[in-house]
Amino acid sequence: MITRLNHVSIFVLNQDSAYDFYVNKLGFKVHTDAPMGPGARWLTVTPPEQPDLEIALMAISEGMMFTKESAGAMRNLVAGGTFGFGVFECNDLLATYEELKAKGVEFTKAPTQEFYGFEALFKDDSGNWFSLGQKGK
Amino acid sequence: MDFYPKVYLYRRIVKAKLFIDDNYADAIELDHIADEAFFSKFHFIRLFKKTYGKTPHQYLTCVRIEKSKLLLKEEIPVSGVCYAVGFDSVSSFTGLFKRMVGQTPSAYQQGCISKKLEIETAPLKHIPNCFAEMNGWTKKSNFQEV
């Protein structure tokens, strides 16, 4: 029986920029930041109240799991916001929305009460998009 | 865009939170923060706690402790960290840190130094093997930048 998810990846266009976005704007914490040789880096962050879920900010680089062609295709998919998504949760959506907007986070949907919950949508610095919902609302 | 009620209240509370985030190292007075948010002190405390689940003072303490953890990771001496994040007594900082983090600043710092050293010398211990293999990292013997 599977019991937990402890690692998940988000593909990013630039790890330095992603570090700034996830740590300094979203407030995530760095779990592991390990240089893995020239041009390679293992960088994971965790949501502030979920320290055992490591989100690996994965560079899209030719020569590792990508060929030149697949890396290019992947970069286009990520930049276009067409590769994957995630759902984050906060305690107060309106306050979090105002704070993240003040920090320069780009929202594509303002907080809206939908039939399934209260949510806003934002993009990270690479183009990945996320839903931000409020717990219990 | 005022698309939800009382947006101005949220903006003022968020402004106060960001003020704490930016000025935690200074001797911040609650009245000062309330003034920044254009609230009376008691109204401000109530709204802040409703939004963030902590009073402004509790939040300021949390920010200082979190910032102190980052500085301790940089191997800055405990007393230097204490004053750098806005505490004025090493003993009260140490006691507060232990209560909130579960270990003393010195023990926390030693743990961080050990982890940093291990990441430098044996990074694969911190990476799921499937990711490492997929990236060809398990075949390398030296991960240091050249």
Side-chain angles (χ1 to χ4, degrees):
Chain A
M1 181 174 72
I2 294 173
T3 55
R4 298 182 60 78
L5 174 68
N6 55 30
H7 283 78
V8 68
S9 61
I10 294 176
F11 286 100
V12 298
L13 301 181
N14 180 296
Q15 283 179 308
D16 290 336
S17 171
Y19 181 106
D20 181 59
F21 182 85
Y22 283 89
V23 176
N24 298 328
K25 288 194 167 75
L26 297 193
F28 285 25
K29 294 179 179 174
V30 177
H31 187 285
T32 303
D33 189 357
M36 300 302 293
R41 176 185 186 186
W42 175 254
L43 172 62
T44 70
V45 295
T46 66
E49 295 185 13
Q50 210 171 1
D52 56 354
L53 174 60
E54 288 186 67
I55 299 172
L57 302 176
M58 303 285 286
I60 308 168
S61 305
E62 179 192 350
M64 292 296 188
M65 64 174 76
F66 294 104
T67 62
K68 183 179 180 183
E69 290 73 26
S70 63
M74 187 62 155
R75 293 179 73 83
N76 287 336
L77 286 170
V78 168
T82 48
F83 185 78
F85 69 98
V87 180
F88 291 122
E89 184 180 283
C90 63
N91 292 325
D92 190 313
L93 179 56
L94 297 181
T96 306
Y97 169 74
E98 289 296 338
E99 177 177 341
L100 295 183
K101 252 196 351 171
K103 290 179 175 177
V105 174
E106 181 187 348
F107 278 82
T108 55
K109 179 183 179 184
T112 306
Q113 186 67 57
E114 303 286 3
F115 70 91
Y116 50 81
F118 192 34
E119 76 157 9
L121 299 179
F122 70 92
K123 295 201 298 189
D124 73 4
D125 60 305
S126 293
N128 297 297
W129 67 273
F130 300 96
S131 167
L132 177 61
Q134 179 169 326
K135 190 177 182 181
K137 194 166 179 182
Chain B
M1 184 170 60
D2 295 353
F3 48 84
Y4 46 78
K6 297 183 180 174
V7 61
Y8 64 97
L9 286 180
Y10 274 100
R11 288 187 178 150
R12 283 153 62 182
I13 288 294
V14 167
K15 190 180 172 197
K17 183 210 181 255
L18 294 175
F19 179 84
I20 295 173
D21 290 344
D22 290 340
N23 297 281
Y24 65 90
D26 299 331
I28 298 178
E29 294 295 331
L30 192 55
D31 288 339
H32 191 183
I33 306 173
D35 288 347
E36 281 285 321
F38 308 108
F39 286 122
S40 74
K41 186 174 171 180
F42 298 106
H43 188 42
F44 169 62
I45 292 172
R46 192 176 61 80
L47 284 177
F48 194 98
K49 186 166 186 185
K50 185 167 180 277
T51 304
Y52 293 110
K54 297 180 178 74
T55 65
H57 181 71
Q58 288 169 335
Y59 179 72
L60 172 62
T61 301
C62 286
V63 170
R64 285 176 169 167
I65 293 295
E66 287 303 313
K67 297 293 181 184
S68 75
K69 287 160 79 176
L70 295 178
L71 296 181
L72 289 166
K73 282 182 185 173
E74 299 301 317
E75 302 184 35
I76 296 170
V78 172
S79 59
V81 171
C82 165
Y83 301 124
V85 298
F87 292 109
D88 52 14
S89 155
V90 175
S91 60
S92 62
F93 165 60
T94 300
L96 201 55
F97 190 97
K98 188 173 181 185
R99 197 161 71 239
M100 293 178 69
V101 181
Q103 54 188 337
T104 64
S106 301
Y108 179 84
Q109 187 168 54
Q110 281 308 311
C112 291
I113 292 170
S114 299
K115 182 180 174 185
K116 191 175 172 183
L117 187 64
E118 191 175 72
I119 285 175
E120 284 171 6
T121 54
L124 292 178
K125 275 188 165 183
H126 297 268
I127 301 172
N129 197 50
C130 55
F131 281 101
E133 278 191 0
M134 198 179 294
N135 284 299
W137 291 339
T138 52
K139 295 170 189 160
K140 296 181 181 178
S141 58
N142 179 5
F143 294 100
Q144 303 307 306
E145 291 282 357
V146 290

